[in-house]
Amino acid sequence: MEGFAAIYIFMLAAFTGYEVISRVPVILHTPLMSGSNFVHGVVLVGAMVVLGHADPEDPVQLAIGFVAVFLGAANAAGGYVVTERMLAMFKGGNKKEGGA
């Protein structure tokens, strides 16, 4: 029964996320992405907590926890890189050259 509840919650979250993102105007994508980076940080902390509670004798739990932490960290770091690049697009042409 817990598996069906988890699948239901995942499907509901995916549908809601798609509907919310598809209705956001283009001008708000950068602030929305910055906010989602914060959420990715929360996901990363949650993955680290779950990895900390994994059974040290079970390599499957450790592997899944490690992959969750790795993917969460990569997602958060990638989000910040993309946000930085998008914000650089709003800066003037002289400042983008680095002032050399």
Side-chain angles (χ1 to χ4, degrees), residues 9-89:
I9 291 171
F10 177 75
M11 289 175 48
L12 186 61
F15 177 75
T16 303
Y18 175 77
E19 287 296 320
V20 168
I21 294 299
S22 66
R23 295 171 195 242
V24 171
V26 174
I27 191 115
L28 294 178
H29 276 197
T30 300
L32 182 64
M33 182 170 278
S34 295
S36 66
N37 286 338
F38 170 74
V39 174
H40 295 159
V42 172
V43 169
L44 176 60
V45 171
M48 291 185 335
V49 168
V50 170
L51 179 60
H53 285 89
D55 183 13
E57 302 296 326
D58 190 359
V60 174
Q61 288 183 9
L62 293 175
I64 290 173
F66 176 78
V67 169
V69 170
F70 178 76
L71 291 177
N75 198 11
Y80 281 111
V81 169
V82 169
T83 300
E84 181 68 25
R85 290 187 69 186
M86 290 177 73
L87 290 175
M89 292 171 48

